[in-house]
Amino acid sequence: MITKWWQKAVIYQIYPRSFQDSNQDGIGDLPGIIFRLDYLKKLGVDALWLSPVYPSPNRDNGYDISDYQGIAAEYGTMEDMERLIEEARKREIKIIMDLVVNHTSDQHPWFKEAKKSSESPYHDFYIWREEPNELISNFGGSAWTFVPEVGKYYLHLHAKEQPDLNWENPQMRKAIYAMMNYWLAKGIGGFRLDVIDLIGKEPDRLITKNGPKLHDYLQEMHRETFGNYNVVTVGETWGATPEIAQLYSGECREELSMVFQFEHISLDKQTGKRKWDLKELNPQELHQVLSKWQVELQGKGWNSLFWNNHDLPRIISRWGNDDHYRELSGKMLAIYLHFMQGTPYIYQGEEIGMINYPVASIEEVDDIESHQMYASRLKAGYTKEELLASINAKGRDNARHPMLWDDSKQAGFTKGTPWLPVAISSEISVKNALADPNSLFYTYQRLIQLRKELPIIIEGNYRVIPTEESHVLVYERLLPGQRLVVVVNFSNQVGHFSLEHPEKSGVVLIHNYQQEIKEQLAPYEAYAILYTKN
Ligand code: NOJ
């Protein structure tokens, strides 16, 4: 049964550092987001997920939190945060906080105390061992770092400045729940839970993802915190399969609202290798994976629908075409995804077709993950050219260059010096997008509006329609008396598809070419038709 507000919602992700600067220090901030709320309302989204805005040494751009209950000065004040929640609420938009509870910053007071002495009450908030084992950090290198004061190693599954919290410790869990309740009491609309599938880890058995106590912790968290509020909770779950997703998000499980899983997004990576090790995307494989999730979660769990986030390259540069077909391929990707079941996420700039930002040297790179990969692979014998090619294809900075608002010097993001260069473009900007009734922005606006109008998009059964050509992807959604068919050409070559039963009563809901629908599909052509039986 579809009864929850977030099952009908569309969520927009903001990377605050790069969204809108209001005080000209080159870093986006909360007043900047408030200034742009009317734009987001025009797009039609229901909630904003903010990447972390808490105080942080920014080793991993805010995903290393040093104070869970504060706001980083560069983003503003707690009053700004409260004003944002209130101003968004007036526009019927909810604010979702990014919650990083797998680890803290090494500058968090808990860790500073923890590493002073094994006797400290905070020592056991983290994971310590006399000897390291072979666990590797997600950013490369050993996951253990030695602290001479206590003569032990602590675990960090990311950078060494991001020590992992010890979820086995009930006092630690209590402190986290108190912090979550502090935010819930402020009226936020929910949490996005960073790498949540890691909290049940058992390092001695080399188990990191999907540890045995993971779901117990989430049920306890639900009971102690957000279970008492009508909010959304979305778990970043790299290790989820559809079966595991049912554990997180099944209605009677009382854990999370939905998963944010990456199986489709990992299809251009060689099996068993890291994200940098590319292979060409096969659209049929993509269709098969997305369809599997559609069918296997129907009625049993809830999924997120996304192409982008702050960790992923821009989708048009990745699986679309950022050369001749930027807008058309962007529209095709949006149409293909937004008629599926789940909660769509739009990452800032996606709605205006922002693309990757290639660099010519490692000195131009900000992101810690790219730097760590570059350093370790250079030692392993890769050439600089190979490594830069990987960074340009997959590096996280691609998504983090400032939002393009207009055609002024720094694209309306700041009047100061931006923390990461602005990818100035004469073509891509919010200003241009709003002025052109045929722009990608209006495709997204229409897709959001259709989701609000047509229950078949929210709850219709999903079925794949087979095609002759591997780049032509087709599916249908079904409700009694209604059939919604989505047809996309995932290529810059022409394709072919003719509807089997072209009922007369079909209404074209959206089409990215201004021409009649024919059997031959133009490059990246995409449309959706709704058939209703009288
Ligand atoms: C996932 C976040 O999305 C990413 O940006 C971050 O680096 C890691 N988790 C560690 O917190």
Side-chain angles (χ1 to χ4, degrees), residues 13 15 49 51-52 60-64 98 100 102-103 138-139 157-159 162 192 194-195 198 236 238 262 309-311 367-369 396 400:
Q13 185 192 351
Y15 196 66
W49 148 24
S51 281
D60 186 17
N61 281 2
Y63 287 89
D64 46 330
D98 212 321
V100 189
N102 174 66
H103 47 268
N138 285 338
F139 291 160
L157 291 178
H158 295 85
Q162 292 169 298
R192 175 263 183 186
D194 189 71
V195 288
L198 301 182
E236 189 195 23
W238 282 87
F262 296 83
N309 75 7
H310 63 290
D311 294 330
D367 177 33
I368 181 172
E369 184 193 42
R396 304 195 297 181
R400 299 179 180 183

Side-chain angles (χ1 to χ4, degrees), residues 19 26 32 38 44 93 107 118 233 273 332 335 346 429 442 473 484:
F19 192 61
D38 288 334
I93 296 176
Q107 299 306 307
S118 301
T233 51
K273 297 226 177 138
M332 179 279 287
I335 291 170
I346 301 169
S429 72
Y442 292 107
L473 311 181
L484 168 62

Side-chain angles (χ1 to χ4, degrees), residues 60 64 87 115 159 176 209 226 230 233 302 309 317-318 326 336 338 344 428 474 476-477 501 508 511 531 534:
D60 186 17
D64 46 330
E87 287 299 319
K115 66 174 199 181
I176 291 290
K209 290 183 189 119
F226 45 73
N230 183 17
T233 51
W302 201 256
N309 75 7
S317 299
R318 187 177 185 183
R326 188 181 60 81
Y336 177 55
H338 277 243
I428 312 172
V474 183
E476 62 185 351
R477 304 288 306 277
H501 305 291
V508 179
H511 184 194
Y531 298 103
N534 299 320

Side-chain angles (χ1 to χ4, degrees), residues 129 133-135 144 168 200-208 210-213:
R129 294 292 182 268
N133 63 11
E134 59 263 52
L135 277 180
W144 299 95
E168 301 261 337
K201 66 185 77 71
E202 289 202 355
D204 302 324
R205 294 167 61 205
L206 304 181
I207 296 175
T208 54
N210 302 320
K213 295 218 195 107

Side-chain angles (χ1 to χ4, degrees), residues 385-400:
E385 291 67 34
E386 283 169 328
L387 296 175
L388 283 174
S390 294
I391 290 173
N392 284 333
K394 284 291 198 70
R396 304 195 297 181
D397 282 355
N398 280 311
R400 299 179 180 183

